Amino acid sequence: MEKAFLEELLKAQKNFFWSGKTRNISFRIEALNKLKDTIKAHEEEVLGAIYKDLRKTSMDGYATEIAGVYDEINYAIKNVRSWSKVQKVETPVFLFPSKSYVHKEPFGVTLIIAPWNYPFQLLMLPLAGAIAAGNTAILKPSEISANTAAVMEKIINKVFPKEYLHVVQGGANETQTLIEMPLDYIFFTGSVAVGKAVMAAAAKNLIPLTLELGGKSPAIVHKDADLILAARKIAWGKFINAGQTCIAPDYVLVHTNRKDDFLKELKKAIRNFYGEDAAAHPRYCRIINDRHFQRLNAMLNNANTLSGGKTNAADRYIEPTIIYPVQWDDPIMRDEIFGPLLPILTYSDLDDIIRRIRERPEPLSLYLFSDDQAVQTKVIDEIPFGGGAINNTIFHIVSHFMPFGGVGTSGMGAYHGKVSFDTFSHAKSILKSSSKFDPLAAVYPHKKFFMKIMRKIIG
Ligand code: NAD
């Protein structure tokens, strides 16, 4: 993608934005409906592309990539009128008789950058928020999930004028050009390393941004846990998308007393889900490309395999694999795994693992298996992480009533539902005073009683 084209595109989108069309709520609702209709009309093509990229079945493609997008769009259509209403708020007594209002304003031209692991959802979900809030958008899918990127380009660029919404293709170079432009907002989903580069570029123009990043998300199986449930939830959350999920349990911390039974249940759950040969199971995905296959293979070769471990480079297949025993300073505990390798560590002291997790970068998610209220409170209060679940995995992401996002190195800002609308809006506060009566004249330099009045009102 030529730099000159991108600069022209930005100019065209700025002009379109300032034409005022996107301020109209009916225009936004129409765009959201159009987006949903075009996805519906091309659903099979989208699912086919996701299959080509990740070997994901239509059923799983629909459940993990498309259903959430429809839900987000429907929810935005239903609520965007009330979300965008000018909100009258209270006015402090010392500003009497003025009135106070908060206007939710679109930023202008937004840039949405997506990764390859859920290539459709992670571009379309933020897009729904950007549209609802009245922005224009330049959309940059991941070049690694090339099939899905091509379909998204086709369906968006056919239905929407380029000065409103436009998909541009490219990798690091094109993205670098984009993030150096004077955009009005950047929404980035991807790795911590690239997130830092995006933030550094945005800082040069002081562009506000959201960073949805990754990290190592622990699952804690406490001594009172229901082990069958824990094993199923962890196996499902880890091996869906062949472990290439930002909120997958990266590793498990199991209480020493329950370790043997948990490992037995975990192996059973994997066998129940994927049979004796996961390679032959239609609902088991493949690794996205050779580079990631080699990266994971090197991790595997360096670790103690308890079960699984089979690979096939030509097919980019890696079997669901349990790594045990594992110590905190083993190589597999260094970086986010992002693949179907599940290290298991044991613990006997909850405070010790809380301290160890806190010493590391903040996880995007955390999962706790325990019905003990005191343990739940302790883990939630004493460990910083983006969000998570108790006696469950992954599903906290699907609720449009809860913000989704990281904290610290796992990201900043959040989205989903109304939070998406707020993320893509600037809250502009307006104090409206009367031109007839000016009690604040008391602050003028020639007035004597200012301090006296202030002390009387405020104390
Ligand atoms: P990535 O950071 O390599 O790429 C993300 C996007 O940035 C892509 O569109 C890519 O083209 C672009 N890019 C790549 N290198 C760049 C560079 N040097 N400069 C500018 N842009 C560049 O991430 P990925 O490999 O596509 O995705 C995996 C990562 O994303 C994992 O760390 C995962 O945890 C994270 N992730 C987070 C979430 C979340 O919601 N928090 C969701 C999915 C994935």
Side-chain angles (χ1 to χ4, degrees):
M1 195 67 53
E2 294 286 316
K3 188 172 179 200
F5 171 82
L6 298 176
E7 283 169 351
E8 267 309 304
L9 179 62
L10 175 62
K11 209 155 106 193
Q13 290 216 352
K14 290 240 179 196
N15 286 339
F16 184 76
F17 177 73
W18 285 114
S19 77
K21 286 204 173 78
T22 66
R23 301 215 158 227
N24 184 304
I25 309 301
S26 300
F27 175 90
R28 302 182 197 178
I29 291 174
E30 199 185 305
L32 288 164
N33 273 316
K34 221 186 214 181
L35 179 63
K36 194 170 94 185
D37 291 348
T38 186
I39 298 172
K40 272 230 177 312
H42 296 88
E43 216 178 70
E44 263 181 46
E45 228 177 307
V46 172
L47 291 169
I50 295 170
Y51 182 83
K52 278 193 202 148
D53 284 329
L54 287 150
R55 194 84 70 83
K56 194 185 280 189
T57 59
S58 295
M59 190 198 308
D60 288 324
Y62 176 79
T64 65
E65 294 261 22
I66 292 184
V69 175
Y70 289 157
D71 182 56
E72 185 85 351
I73 294 174
N74 291 341
Y75 191 62
I77 290 172
K78 200 168 141 204
N79 292 290
V80 63
R81 275 194 200 283
S82 73
W83 292 340
S84 46
K85 273 202 182 111
V86 176
Q87 202 190 340
K88 186 163 189 262
V89 295
E90 283 187 58
T91 303
V93 62
F94 49 84
L95 294 178
F96 180 82
S98 299
K99 293 189 174 113
S100 308
Y101 301 90
V102 178
H103 294 243
K104 286 295 176 71
E105 285 226 322
F107 282 104
V109 181
T110 63
L111 169 66
I112 301 174
I113 305 171
W116 52 263
N117 61 328
Y118 289 84
F120 188 77
Q121 195 220 118
L122 294 174
L123 196 73
M124 294 297 162
L125 221 61
L127 174 60
I131 294 174
N135 299 280
T136 72
I138 299 173
L139 304 157
K140 218 298 287 168
S142 171
E143 73 286 13
I144 293 177
S145 42
N147 295 292
T148 313
V151 176
M152 291 192 290
E153 178 180 9
K154 189 180 126 185
I155 67 178
I156 297 288
N157 292 3
K158 191 172 81 180
V159 172
F160 295 99
K162 109 167 173 277
E163 60 271 25
Y164 178 36
L165 307 176
H166 197 69
V167 173
V168 297
Q169 302 288 0
N173 290 341
E174 290 77 5
T175 316
Q176 190 61 38
T177 306
L178 283 166
I179 58 182
E180 283 170 3
M181 299 198 313
L183 299 147
D184 299 304
Y185 200 88
I186 299 177
F187 188 100
F188 172 82
T189 307
S191 60
V192 173
V194 177
K196 287 181 185 173
V198 171
M199 191 162 174
K204 291 202 178 122
N205 289 311
L206 285 180
I207 300 168
L209 82 173
T210 299
L211 297 175
E212 296 282 343
L213 310 178
K216 282 181 98 59
S217 299
I220 302 172
V221 180
H222 198 51
K223 56 188 173 196
D224 68 311
D226 177 330
L227 294 185
I228 297 176
L229 178 89
R232 284 186 184 158
K233 294 285 185 191
I234 290 170
W236 178 77
K238 177 72 181 188
F239 299 114
I240 187 171
N241 222 35
Q244 302 163 109
T245 303
C246 57
I247 51 168
D250 186 275
Y251 61 98
V252 175
L253 296 159
V254 58
H255 195 277
T256 315
N257 297 353
R258 312 294 303 281
K259 163 202 73 174
D260 293 333
D261 289 340
F262 174 71
L263 287 170
K264 208 165 75 197
E265 289 304 332
L266 187 61
K267 285 188 214 161
K268 214 194 279 175
I270 296 171
R271 229 180 9 256
N272 280 344
F273 289 170
Y274 300 108
E276 292 299 333
D277 179 17
H281 198 283
R283 291 181 66 185
Y284 190 65
C285 291
R286 295 299 185 265
I287 305 306
I288 186 78
N289 63 13
D290 291 338
R291 183 169 67 81
H292 281 283
F293 177 86
Q294 294 307 342
R295 179 184 63 79
L296 290 162
N297 206 33
M299 271 188 188
L300 182 61
N301 291 337
N302 231 337
N304 302 311
T305 303
L306 180 75
S307 76
K310 288 199 198 81
T311 63
N312 177 349
D315 194 26
R316 296 196 306 275
Y317 166 74
I318 298 181
E319 190 178 7
T321 299
I322 303 174
I323 310 284
Y324 179 84
V326 178
Q327 305 303 324
W328 282 97
D329 49 7
D330 285 357
I332 201 156
M333 291 303 291
R334 252 178 242 149
D335 299 316
E336 181 183 13
I337 297 170
F338 223 53
L341 314 176
L342 183 58
I344 315 286
L345 291 83
T346 58
Y347 73 93
S348 48
D349 178 11
L350 191 60
D351 285 308
D352 178 52
I353 60 167
I354 289 176
R355 182 181 54 77
R356 282 182 179 275
I357 299 170
R358 267 203 319 238
E359 280 169 4
R360 303 171 144 243
E362 296 85 347
L364 178 58
S365 299
L366 184 142
Y367 305 110
L368 170 67
F369 290 86
S370 172
D371 282 325
D372 184 328
Q373 185 63 51
V375 170
Q376 293 176 4
T377 305
K378 188 174 174 66
V379 166
I380 294 169
D381 288 356
E382 296 184 16
I383 305 176
F385 55 94
I390 289 168
N391 298 322
N392 218 327
T393 61
I394 309 285
F395 278 110
H396 62 295
I397 200 173
V398 306
S399 167
H400 55 223
F401 297 112
M402 294 205 287
F404 174 76
V407 65
T409 53
S410 55
M412 60 178 72
Y415 72 132
H416 289 191
K418 179 167 188 298
V419 179
S420 278
F421 176 87
D422 291 337
T423 286
F424 282 102
S425 304
H426 164 63
K428 185 188 256 177
S429 296
I430 299 292
L431 181 76
K432 205 166 172 178
S433 303
S434 163
S435 61
K436 308 276 183 291
F437 173 57
D438 183 15
L440 288 173
V443 304
Y444 294 152
H446 66 289
K447 298 279 181 180
K448 292 207 179 95
F449 305 110
F450 176 48
M451 277 308 284
K452 243 193 213 164
I453 296 169
M454 285 272 287
R455 290 214 173 277
K456 202 158 200 164
I457 297 175
I458 293 179

